[in-house]
């Protein structure tokens, strides 16, 4: 059809007329789209600030469409970024990442590298929340050279802190150190005590993993004081719990007990029952090691109750195992076995086969010591059946060795 001369002529004539009409009518049409975009943005921002993210989302999507019609990359990127933030608040992190990637693509075409870096920061943070550690580290690493060019340095501080956290979680303490030092430096330049406290806390965690408890205790103590000054009791309590680890490594059990008791009191006030359970279980372990078995058993019972309140079966199982150990050390085999029976009921519901097998073998040993030979044999048979079904060679060997030892 394009070879038809007559049609080509008419097409040229028609296009000429349309172009002339567009040129004459372009400004009013553009003004209308701009007005629509401004209205959509204003209403979406209002709804977002009120926390109505579901209602704000379609308005940001409409704004983005309007900005695209105008060819306004800057504000289209703003809208795409806001769409991602709505999805994040609504709990759909995959959709949030998709939107932030769209914003990143738009920002990469502009001359403001800081915004592209911020997009990478948002993407990396979401990936870490989704347990996509490798992807999160890559995204955060890509954000840094871009954020270092931004006028505002707070996002660089956040990106380095997040990256350090992710690296520490993977056991890569040394690479994390340089990011923490830079994050702390930026926090001090920004005169931002909250960011400073966060950097110090991560430095403490890193030193704990590096087996240098002295510096760890110093960083954690300084961070705790900052959080207390900020009125953040939850973070201060979390650091008291970590201080317990550092102080135990320094062979200061009495001081460690005092710090973790303080953490437990704070977590109790905050009604953070799972954290109370963790604190009490830690204290039960210390009291057991010190030979104070009555106190250890009381703490382990309270830990199990706290985990039960928090509906954390894994924590409750662990606390019951600690409690059973306390009874077994007192040679109270019957009570120890009874305690593990409670733990077995939970692990059968919530535990993986390896956890079930290990607990079954421990329970079988306690039942044997309590002179309950038939119960012991029944538990061993259950362990054998589980191990065989799992087709896990290590588990099968574990059961075989246990059966030989318990004959």
């Amino acid at each position: 059809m394009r070879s038809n001369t007559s049609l080509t002529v008419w097409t040229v004539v028609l296009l000429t007329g349309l172009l002339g009409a567009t040129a004459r009518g372009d400004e009013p049409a553009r003004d209308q789209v701009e007005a629509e975009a401004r209205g959509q943005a204003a209403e979406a921002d209002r709804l977002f600030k009120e926390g109505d993210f579901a209602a704000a989302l379609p308005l940001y999507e409409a704004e983005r469409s309007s900005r695209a019609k105008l060819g306004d990359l800057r504000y289209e990127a703003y809208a795409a970024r806001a769409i991602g933030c709505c999805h994040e608040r609504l709990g759909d992190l995959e959709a949030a990442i998709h939107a932030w990637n769209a914003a990143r693509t738009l920002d990469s075409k502009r001359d403001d590298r800081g915004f592209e870096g911020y997009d990478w920061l948002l993407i990396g943070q979401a990936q870490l929340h989704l347990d996509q550690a490798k992807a999160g580290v890559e995204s955060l690493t890509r954000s840094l050279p871009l954020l270092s060019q931004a006028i505002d340095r707070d996002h660089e501080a956040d990106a380095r802190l997040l990256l350090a956290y992710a690296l520490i979680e993977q056991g890569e303490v040394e690479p994390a150190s340089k990011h923490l030092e830079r994050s702390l430096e930026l926090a001090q330049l920004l005169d931002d005590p909250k960011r400073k406290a966060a950097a110090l806390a991560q430095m403490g965690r890193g030193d704990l993993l590096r087996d240098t408890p002295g510096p760890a205790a110093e960083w954690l103590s300084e961070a705790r004081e900052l959080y207390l000054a900020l009125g953040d009791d939850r973070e201060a309590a979390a650091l008291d719990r970590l201080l317990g680890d550092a102080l135990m490594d320094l062979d200061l059990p009495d001081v460690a007990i005092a710090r973790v008791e303080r953490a437990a009191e704070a977590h109790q006030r905050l009604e953070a029952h799972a954290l109370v359970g963790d604190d009490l279980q830690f204290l039960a372990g210390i009291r057991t090691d010190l030979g104070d078995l009555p106190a250890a058993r009381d703490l382990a019972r309270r830990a199990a109750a706290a985990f039960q309140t928090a509906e954390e079966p894994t924590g409750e199982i662990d606390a019951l195992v600690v409690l059973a150990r306390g009874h077994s050390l007192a040679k109270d085999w019957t009570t120890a076995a009874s305690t593990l029976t409670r733990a077995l009921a939970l692990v059968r519901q919530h535990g993986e086969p390896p956890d079930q097998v290990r607990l079954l073998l421990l329970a079988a040993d306690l039942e044997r010591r309590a002179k309950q030979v038939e119960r012991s044999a029944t538990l061993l048979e259950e362990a054998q059946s589980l191990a065989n079904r799992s087709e896990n060679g290590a588990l099968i060997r574990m059961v075989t060795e246990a059966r030989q030892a318990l004959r």
Side-chain angles (χ1 to χ4, degrees), residues 7 24 28 62 83 88 115 128 139 150-151 153 176 185 215 222 257 259 261 286 401 403:
L7 182 59
R24 290 189 299 271
I83 289 168
E88 180 200 26
F115 273 108
L128 293 182
S139 296
I151 295 173
R153 311 315 299 273
E185 179 185 347
E222 188 176 350
I257 287 170
R259 296 295 178 269
E261 284 178 342
I286 297 177
E401 290 169 3
R403 297 191 77 160

Side-chain angles (χ1 to χ4, degrees), residues 35 109 116 144 185 295 318-319 374 386:
K109 300 173 184 176
E116 186 185 354
L144 292 178
E185 179 185 347
D318 291 341
E374 289 186 11
L386 261 175

Side-chain angles (χ1 to χ4, degrees), residues 111-123:
D111 195 27
D112 190 338
R113 314 311 289 167
F115 273 108
E116 186 185 354
Y118 183 53
D119 298 327
W120 279 119
L121 166 57
L122 293 172
I123 292 165

Side-chain angles (χ1 to χ4, degrees), residues 79-100:
R81 198 174 299 112
I83 289 168
C85 291
C86 286
H87 283 303
E88 180 200 26
R89 300 302 197 282
L90 293 168
D92 190 346
L93 291 179
E94 294 287 1
I97 290 171
H98 180 76
W100 289 328

